[in-house]
Amino acid sequence: MGRKILIIEDDRETANYLRRGLEQEGHSIEHVANGQDGLYMATGASFDLVILDRMVPVIDGLSVLRALRAARVETPVLILSALGSVGDRIEGLECGSDDYLVKPFSFAELLARVNALLRRSESRVASDPRLTVGDLEIDPLSRTVKRGGKKIDLKPREYLILEYFARNEGRVVTRTMLLERVWEYHFDPGTNVIDVHVSRLRRKLDEGFERPLLHTVRGAGYMLAA
Amino acid sequence: MPTKLRIALVAGLLAFASNLLIIGFIHWQTRDQIVANERKQVAEQWAVLRDIYRASGEQGLRRAIDDTIGAGDPQMAAAILTSDGRPIYGNVSAVSLKNAKPSAGPRSVLLTIDREATPREAAVGFMRLADGRWLLSGRTVAEGISLRETLERSLLVGLAVSALLGLICGWVIGQFVDRRVRDIVAVADRIGGGDLSERVPHSGGRDSFERLAERINQMLDRIATLMNELRMLTDSLAHELRSPVGRLRAAADAAISASDPQERDKLLGDVIRQSDALMRILTTVLEIARTESFTAKNQFSWVDPGELGLELAEMYEPVAEEAGASLTLDRQPILIPIAGHRQLLAQALSNLIENAIKYSGPGGEIRLFVREDEKGLSLGVSDHGPGIPAEREGEARKRFGRLDPSRTLEGAGLGLSLVQAIAHLHEGELVLDDNEPGLIARLEIPLNGVKIPDSVGAL
C-alpha cells in the first residue's frame, strides 16, 4: 500500500533518485528544496514519513526537525546527511529524528529504513503482545522463543536481534540497522561482526527445520519471513 | 605619542620626583641641623660670659669679650651696650635693641660687626648687667645660611641634572624596547605574509623580551609542525586514496567488459564493496579530525566502563571464535563511571579488538581488560600477535601508518590514530606495551576529580 512521503532535499539529483525509487515502491512523493517550504509542508499536510536532508537552504535540517517536534508533529523523520561522524549522528538523533542515514547510501539501505519507519507509523494496537512468524513464536514479556512448539535457547543479544527481525517481518533489515537498533552503536565496526551474530542466530533458529526463516538478501541485509 | 618618548618622559619625571624628595629631605634636615648648632653655640657662649661676669665682674667680662672676639671667628659677635642699645665695648658697631629682654637667646637681630658696612642677621642672647647696661653675645648666621644656600644650589643643579639623566635613560630604554618590539613586529609581519620559517632573533640575554621571543618561537614551531602534519596528511590522504580508487576503477572496468550477466552482477558487487571501503576511509579520517577538535565533548555522559567492556566482549567473542581465536573479558567487579563518549570509547575498544583479532590469527588468546586504580581508568586489549616494535610505535600511531610493508592485511592504517584521538578527547593517552610476545594497547584515562561516592564505598 502506497504511503505519503515528503522529501526535503536541495540536491536535485538525489531528490530525483529518491523520488523514482520510492514511487516504484508505490509511495506518493512530495518534494521541496528548502527547509522553510519543508517545515510548512510537514506541519500543514499529513505525511507518513519525512526524509530530511540535514543541509538544506533557508532553514537547516536540524532546525526544521526541532520546529516540527516543538509543534508536536510526530511524523517519523529520516535524516539524510553527508555529515557522518559519530558525533553528527548522535546530534541528529538527539534532535528528535527517528533515523539517520549518511550519504552516500545504497537505495536498498534507504528502502529498508523507510519501510521500518513506515511500519512504526502504522497505528495498530496489538491485543496479543506475542510475535509470530510462521511456526516461530516470540513472547517479548518472558523473552522466550519457540519454534514448532520447541523452545529455543537464545543469548540476550541474540534474542534482541530476533525480536527486531520479527518486528520487521518480511522487510529487509540491513547490517547497520541492526548495529544501530540492537547494539545502539553508531560507528562502523568494519568487519563481519553483525554477520557472525546473525549466522549464530540462524543456526539456532533454522537448524533441523526444513524451511528457513532467516534469509540473506544479497546486497542489502537479512529478512525474517515464513 | 611614540613608546620611547613616553618611556623617556616617565623616566625623567620619576627621576625628578624622587630627587625632589631627597633634596627636600636634605634641605629640611640640614636647616634644622644648622639652626640647632647655632642655637647651641649661642647659648653656650652666653652662659660662659655670664659666669665670667658673675665671677669676676666687668673687668673679667671685658677680657672675656676680647678673648672671644680675638679667637678669630668672623661670626662671633660680643659687646656691652648701653641701656638704650648703643655699643660701648666689643666688636659690634651698631645694633637695634628693640624690646630686649634678658635671655640666653637666641633672638634674631640685625647687627653690624666692626669694620663691616652692612648689618647682618645674628642669633644673640642678652643679659642685663648691674647698672642697666646690656651684654650682647651671639653669632651672625650669614655663614650658616650661605652654606645652606650653596647646598641648596648644588642640590637644585643636581635635580636638573637628574631629571635630564632620567630623560636620557628613559630615551635609551625606550629605544631598546622599541627596537625589540620592532624586531618581533617585523617577524610577525613576515609570518603574516606566509613565511612560517621566520623566527624572532635571540639577543642572548635572559630578559622578558627574550622570554617573549622564546614563547613566540615555540608557538611558531608548533604551528609549523601542525601545518607540516596537515600538509603531510593531505599528501598521504591523496596518495592513500589512489589505491582504493584504483581498485574501484579496476572493478568497474572488469564489470563493464563482462558479458555473462551473472559474472557482471558479481563484479558490480565488487564495485560497491570497493566504494564502501573508500567511504570507510573517508569517514574514519573525518572522525579522527572531528575527535581531535574536541567538539564531541558536549556529548559526554556517564559511562560505566565495566558495562562497556561487557558489551564489546559479548559483541566480539563470536567474531574471535570464528577467526579461531579466543576473547576473554577481565574486569574489576566495581568500576567508577567516567564522564565520557560512550560511542567513541566503544569504537576505540572495537578498533583495538579488531586489530588484535586480525593480527593474532588462529589460536590467539585475546584479553579485553577494564581496570581502575587511583591513577585512573585503564581499558584495552592484549594479544600474543606480532606486536609493535618500540622503535616503530610512532609510525603505528600515525595516520595511514601501517607496519605491514606488504599491506596484505586490509585496512588503511587509521585505527590506532583514531584510538589515540579518542584517548586525547578523554584527556588520556593511548599506551602501547610489549606483551612479550604481543601487544598491550590500552587507553589510560585519568579520573579527573571523580570521587568514589559514599554509597559505592558501602556496597
Side-chain angles (χ1 to χ4, degrees):
Chain A
M1 192 197 110
R3 309 291 285 277
K4 280 179 73 185
I5 298 175
L6 173 65
I7 297 171
I8 308 173
E9 164 68 81
D10 62 325
D11 179 52
R12 192 176 295 274
E13 226 169 286
T14 308
N16 286 338
Y17 171 63
L18 289 175
R19 177 195 282 272
R20 271 201 308 275
L22 291 171
E23 276 175 353
Q24 262 176 27
E25 292 292 311
H27 302 299
S28 61
I29 307 297
E30 291 280 355
H31 167 234
V32 292
N34 70 64
Q36 195 172 23
D37 294 349
L39 185 57
Y40 176 77
M41 294 281 281
T43 44
S46 91
F47 288 94
D48 296 305
L49 175 68
V50 176
I51 296 175
L52 173 63
D53 183 74
R54 190 168 164 169
M55 288 187 286
V56 280
V58 189
I59 305 175
D60 74 273
L62 291 189
S63 302
V64 171
L65 180 57
R66 279 193 211 98
L68 279 179
R69 295 302 183 231
R72 306 220 173 278
V73 175
E74 301 299 339
T75 314
V77 172
L78 168 69
I79 291 188
L80 282 184
S81 177
L83 300 173
S85 81
V86 168
D88 294 324
R89 292 168 194 231
I90 292 172
E91 197 185 1
L93 293 170
E94 278 174 352
C95 279
S97 78
D98 299 86
D99 209 344
Y100 195 104
L101 188 57
V102 178
K103 289 178 180 178
F105 51 86
S106 71
F107 190 75
E109 181 77 46
L110 176 91
L111 193 62
R113 286 163 187 262
V114 165
N115 287 335
L117 290 173
L118 288 175
R119 190 234 348 140
R120 255 198 285 170
S121 72
E122 285 167 9
S123 55
R124 52 169 187 205
V125 184
S127 54
D128 187 359
R130 274 183 299 176
L131 304 160
T132 52
V133 180
D135 56 350
L136 180 72
E137 252 182 79
I138 302 166
D139 183 355
L141 296 177
S142 60
R143 294 199 163 191
T144 51
V145 178
K146 284 181 190 163
R147 185 162 182 200
K150 212 180 95 190
K151 194 167 177 275
I152 298 174
D153 278 324
L154 294 180
K155 288 185 176 170
R157 189 70 59 181
E158 289 164 349
Y159 172 79
L160 291 175
I161 299 169
L162 180 61
E163 190 189 322
Y164 186 69
F165 273 132
R167 290 190 187 282
N168 288 287
E169 185 199 342
R171 294 190 196 91
V172 176
V173 170
T174 67
R175 291 169 182 82
T176 42
M177 280 164 82
L178 282 173
L179 187 71
E180 289 173 14
R181 300 294 165 177
V182 176
W183 276 272
E184 291 178 351
Y185 283 147
H186 296 278
F187 59 86
D188 179 2
T191 52
N192 54 343
V193 185
I194 306 298
D195 293 334
V196 169
H197 281 269
V198 172
S199 69
R200 292 204 157 198
L201 174 64
R202 174 182 278 148
R203 272 207 294 278
K204 290 186 178 178
L205 212 61
D206 286 341
E207 226 159 65
F209 290 91
E210 206 173 307
R211 277 170 60 105
L213 289 177
L214 193 47
H215 311 275
T216 301
V217 183
R218 266 200 54 196
Y222 302 97
M223 190 196 286
L224 186 70
Chain B
M1 193 173 355
T3 317
K4 56 183 164 187
L5 185 61
R6 209 156 55 202
I7 291 174
L9 279 179
V10 168
L13 222 82
L14 274 175
F16 183 78
S18 58
N19 276 302
L20 198 68
L21 218 77
I22 291 167
I23 287 165
F25 181 73
I26 289 171
H27 178 80
W28 173 64
Q29 276 286 305
T30 50
R31 210 174 73 145
D32 270 16
Q33 201 65 44
I34 289 166
V35 169
N37 262 339
E38 296 278 314
R39 261 171 209 270
K40 208 172 129 220
Q41 280 192 29
V42 169
E44 270 170 9
Q45 186 186 312
W46 182 85
V48 166
L49 290 175
R50 181 199 60 197
D51 290 349
I52 289 170
Y53 176 68
R54 281 182 187 158
S56 35
E58 177 133 0
Q59 251 357 83
L61 182 62
R62 286 190 182 215
R63 256 200 316 278
I65 287 173
D66 285 343
D67 287 348
T68 309
I69 299 165
D73 184 347
Q75 268 180 279
M76 192 56 70
I80 297 169
L81 312 173
T82 58
S83 57
D84 56 346
R86 197 163 38 80
I88 49 173
Y89 195 80
N91 69 343
V92 177
S93 56
V95 65
S96 73
L97 184 69
K98 279 181 278 169
N99 311 319
K101 284 207 179 73
S103 77
R107 296 185 45 202
S108 194
V109 292
L110 271 176
L111 56 72
T112 312
I113 303 279
D114 279 349
R115 297 175 301 278
E116 281 188 9
T118 50
R120 288 211 266 173
E121 200 189 343
V124 298
F126 290 100
M127 181 168 69
R128 195 176 268 282
L129 300 179
D131 46 4
R133 286 175 305 164
W134 293 91
L135 165 67
L136 174 152
S137 123
R139 297 172 62 82
T140 59
V141 293
E143 194 188 309
I145 283 174
S146 69
L147 177 71
R148 208 170 77 199
E149 275 170 356
T150 316
L151 190 64
E152 277 173 0
R153 207 175 305 121
S154 52
L155 284 176
L156 276 173
V157 171
L159 187 67
V161 168
S162 73
L164 193 71
L165 277 176
L167 219 61
I168 291 167
C169 281
W171 185 262
V172 170
I173 292 168
Q175 198 69 349
F176 170 75
V177 169
D178 213 43
R179 205 181 59 237
R180 297 303 302 268
V181 170
R182 213 161 37 213
D183 284 351
I184 294 170
V185 166
V187 170
D189 279 348
R190 280 196 293 273
I191 283 164
D195 181 8
L196 268 180
S197 65
E198 197 66 46
R199 292 293 177 272
V200 181
H202 290 276
S203 68
R206 289 293 322 156
D207 60 6
S208 311
F209 284 102
E210 194 58 25
R211 283 206 298 278
L212 177 65
E214 221 168 77
R215 290 295 141 74
I216 289 175
N217 286 345
Q218 277 169 8
M219 186 183 78
L220 289 174
D221 287 346
R222 177 97 186 101
I223 291 173
T225 313
L226 286 174
M227 289 284 288
N228 205 28
E229 268 176 20
L230 193 63
R231 199 170 299 134
M232 269 166 50
L233 179 63
T234 321
D235 282 359
S236 58
L237 185 60
H239 183 77
E240 292 288 332
L241 286 181
R242 297 188 79 89
S243 23
V245 169
R247 283 197 294 270
L248 176 60
R249 217 205 122 89
D253 274 347
I256 218 167
S257 54
S259 47
D260 175 33
Q262 218 171 343
E263 174 73 7
R264 191 168 56 222
D265 278 0
K266 191 184 146 287
L267 291 168
L268 281 174
D270 275 353
V271 172
I272 289 174
R273 244 193 317 285
Q274 293 296 351
S275 62
D276 283 351
L278 188 55
M279 273 312 296
R280 204 167 297 136
I281 293 174
L282 290 176
T283 306
T284 312
V285 169
L286 282 173
E287 195 74 72
I288 294 169
R290 199 55 76 82
T291 307
E292 279 175 344
S293 73
F294 281 26
T295 48
K297 276 228 162 186
N298 56 14
Q299 287 177 346
F300 271 27
S301 61
W302 290 105
V303 178
D304 180 339
E307 209 162 286
L308 194 70
L310 203 60
E311 268 182 28
L312 280 145
E314 182 240 32
M315 189 174 188
Y316 277 101
E317 193 271 320
V319 180
E321 201 177 293
E322 209 89 335
S326 71
L327 174 67
T328 50
L329 173 67
D330 166 13
R331 62 163 185 161
Q332 281 173 358
I334 296 173
L335 292 156
I336 308 165
I338 62 155
H341 198 294
R342 182 176 167 267
Q343 296 286 338
L344 290 175
L345 284 173
Q347 182 162 19
L349 283 182
S350 137
N351 277 6
L352 294 180
I353 298 169
E354 296 230 345
N355 272 348
I357 293 175
K358 192 158 70 181
Y359 290 107
S360 282
E365 285 171 16
I366 300 156
R367 205 167 54 89
L368 171 64
F369 57 86
V370 187
R371 281 194 297 263
E372 260 172 14
D373 57 23
E374 65 280 358
K375 277 197 309 210
L377 174 69
S378 160
L379 69 172
V381 175
S382 69
D383 64 42
H384 295 294
I388 295 174
E391 71 272 13
R392 305 190 63 184
E393 209 193 289
E395 233 174 297
R397 291 166 187 266
K398 250 193 225 147
R399 260 164 274 207
F400 301 112
R402 250 182 311 177
L403 301 181
D404 173 19
S406 59
R407 307 206 160 181
T408 46
L409 291 166
E410 228 180 277
L414 292 167
L416 279 187
S417 60
L418 177 57
V419 176
Q420 181 165 268
I422 292 170
H424 289 166
L425 178 70
H426 292 81
E427 276 149 39
E429 258 310 328
L430 166 64
V431 181
L432 300 176
D433 270 339
D434 194 350
N435 200 21
E436 294 169 349
L439 177 70
I440 306 174
R442 62 175 185 272
L443 284 89
E444 287 192 346
I445 296 170
L447 297 174
N448 283 336
V450 180
K451 298 267 154 51
I452 304 170
D454 291 342
S455 55
V456 173
L459 280 174

